[in-house]
Amino acid sequence: MADDDNGTIVVVEDEPAIADLLDVYLRRAGFRVVLADNTDRGAELCASEQPRLVILDIGLPGTTDGLGLCRQIRDAGTTPVMLLTARDSEVDRIVGLELGADDYVTKPFSPREVVARVKAILRRSDAGPTKTTTLTHNELSVDLTRREARAGGAPVVLTAREFDLLVYFLRHEGAVLGRQQLLDGVWGSGWYGDERTVDVHVRQLRRKLGPAFDLTTIWGVGYRLS
Ligand code: CA
């Protein structure tokens, strides 16, 4: 068994000593760990690595801080988030949980406790209502638990939103889907944006998935997966 069999965790932390400590303990627990020391790099990794969980410091350099990145991750999908908060910052903890973080630990923390809490969060999120774990269409397959897509057996790297859009198409195979329906179903009804956003993501899916993704454009209406 590979030693990174438990999946990938993205750690966004700008204090090297803390990042290293988490790296060591999480690897020992069987996780693959990818580190970022600012929110911009953290956002990139969350999109490209499709981690099972993100550990996020709040005080971080970058375009936004840890709470801002937490909000972005929550807006993009269901990846669990654990926050690292400073000792006296109750406000950060409350705001973080309101933004959808799954748990927090207060610095200084015991790395063993962090690992135990990470495992608890993953057990909870795996025990969710989704029991169908794989969807297929032509040579496409999507593993809902691991959030992995494959085309012709080869893994395809999708952003969280592209992944969710693909899943939506697979679950509505054969149906004509309007752009507004796709926005509501994938982006959520609280999302205000242009319907062309859907077209941009469809273009990415077509480019990344190739001919196995035989999505037809229905002019003036939307899309249908044949
Ligand atoms: Ca910090």
Side-chain angles (χ1 to χ4, degrees):
M1 198 170 19
D3 63 0
D4 59 356
D5 238 29
N6 285 338
T8 300
I9 293 182
V10 168
V11 176
V12 194
E13 167 60 78
D14 60 327
E15 289 172 60
I18 295 179
D20 288 349
L21 194 64
L22 290 172
D23 188 33
V24 167
Y25 275 81
L26 289 166
R27 280 179 197 278
R28 207 176 281 166
F31 295 99
R32 177 173 166 265
V33 181
V34 188
L35 301 173
D37 62 2
N38 63 74
T39 52
D40 300 280
R41 182 69 185 140
E44 278 172 28
L45 289 176
C46 289
S48 64
E49 298 287 339
Q50 301 279 312
R52 285 188 74 197
L53 182 138
V54 182
I55 296 179
L56 193 55
D57 185 28
I58 289 182
L60 283 170
T63 311
T64 182
D65 63 2
L67 291 174
L69 181 54
C70 179
R71 186 197 306 268
Q72 287 173 25
I73 294 168
R74 192 46 65 246
D75 286 349
T78 57
T79 310
V81 175
M82 174 186 281
L83 293 175
L84 305 177
T85 70
R87 200 172 355 201
D88 300 322
S89 186
E90 193 189 0
V91 172
D92 283 348
R93 286 197 284 280
I94 292 169
V95 171
L97 294 173
E98 279 175 357
L99 283 174
D102 295 83
D103 201 356
Y104 64 86
V105 287
T106 304
K107 295 178 183 179
F109 52 76
S110 134
R112 282 173 213 282
E113 186 191 350
V114 172
V115 169
R117 295 233 205 153
V118 162
K119 288 180 172 171
I121 293 173
L122 291 176
R123 268 197 305 275
R124 282 206 301 274
S125 65
D126 285 352
T130 314
K131 274 296 155 209
T132 315
T133 55
T134 307
L135 300 173
T136 57
H137 176 85
N138 295 336
E139 281 86 53
L140 300 179
S141 74
V142 167
D143 184 326
L144 297 171
T145 308
R146 302 177 75 98
R147 288 184 67 83
E148 287 173 355
R150 289 175 178 268
V156 180
V157 177
L158 299 177
T159 66
R161 197 76 85 177
E162 288 163 5
F163 183 89
D164 292 341
L165 182 60
L166 174 60
V167 168
Y168 198 87
F169 280 128
L170 292 174
R171 285 188 163 146
H172 296 82
E173 209 173 35
V176 176
L177 302 169
R179 289 178 176 79
Q180 190 59 51
Q181 180 182 349
L182 290 164
L183 281 177
D184 291 345
V186 177
W187 278 260
S189 50
W191 195 86
Y192 297 99
D194 197 300
E195 294 190 357
R196 275 172 299 183
T197 301
V198 175
D199 301 335
V200 172
H201 284 76
V202 163
R203 208 150 50 229
Q204 293 291 358
L205 284 179
R206 283 180 164 145
R207 186 176 65 75
K208 292 180 175 181
L209 299 171
F213 182 60
D214 53 351
L215 189 76
T216 308
T217 304
I218 312 291
W219 290 107
V221 184
Y223 297 97
R224 183 182 65 218
L225 191 64
S226 308

